């Protein structure tokens, strides 16, 4: 079992590996992730890389195209459990709102 990730306690899924997404994604999951879902292809083989919405992507591209200590997700990151993360990504994919950088 991988110990690379901390566990979080999800109301729906119990103890799960935690993932980080911008604060705009979690409230939009039940709306088809209409804010968009952008993530890196790797390096994690579990695919649970940080993700952010299209608005944050616009901000990112206007500020050099890479998250750094100075260029941070505008409204911070939220923790999503791995199951919720995969659900959000799948929903975004189904609505053609998934973009892999
Ligand atoms: Zn965002
Ligand atoms: Zn969950």
């Amino acid at each position: 079992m991988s110990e690379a990730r901390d566990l979080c306690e999800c109301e729906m899924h119990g103890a799960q590996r935690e993932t980080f997404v911008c604060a705009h994604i979690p409230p939009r999951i039940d709306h088809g992730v209409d804010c968009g879902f952008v993530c890196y292809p790797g390096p994690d083989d579990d695919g649970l890389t940080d993700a952010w919405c299209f608005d944050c992507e616009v901000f990112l591209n206007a500020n050099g195209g890479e998250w750094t200590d100075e260029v941070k997700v505008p409204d911070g990151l939220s923790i999503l459990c791995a199951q919720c993360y995969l659900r959000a990504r799948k929903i975004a994919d189904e609505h053609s709102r998934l973009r892999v950088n």
Side-chain angles (χ1 to χ4, degrees), residues 23-37:
H24 312 119
I25 288 178
R28 305 312 297 173
I29 291 178
D30 292 327
H31 302 272
V33 195
D34 54 6
C35 58
F37 193 102

Side-chain angles (χ1 to χ4, degrees), residues 2 6 11 21 25 28 38 40 43-44 46 48 65 70 73 78 82 88 91-93 100:
S2 168
D6 289 335
E11 279 181 25
V21 302
I25 288 178
R28 305 312 297 173
V38 186
Y40 298 119
D44 294 319
D46 58 12
L48 302 173
E70 281 77 44
V73 176
S78 291
I91 293 170
D93 194 19
V100 179

Side-chain angles (χ1 to χ4, degrees), residues 68 77 83 85:
T68 65
L77 290 168
Q83 298 300 318
Y85 175 98

Side-chain angles (χ1 to χ4, degrees), residues 21-24 51-63 66-78:
V21 302
C22 81
H24 312 119
W52 53 93
C53 70
F54 289 165
D55 280 351
C56 289
E57 173 75 355
V58 169
F59 170 86
L60 178 64
N61 288 328
N63 288 277
E66 249 182 275
W67 299 119
T68 65
D69 285 345
E70 281 77 44
V71 182
K72 293 192 172 120
V73 176
D75 291 315
L77 290 168
S78 291

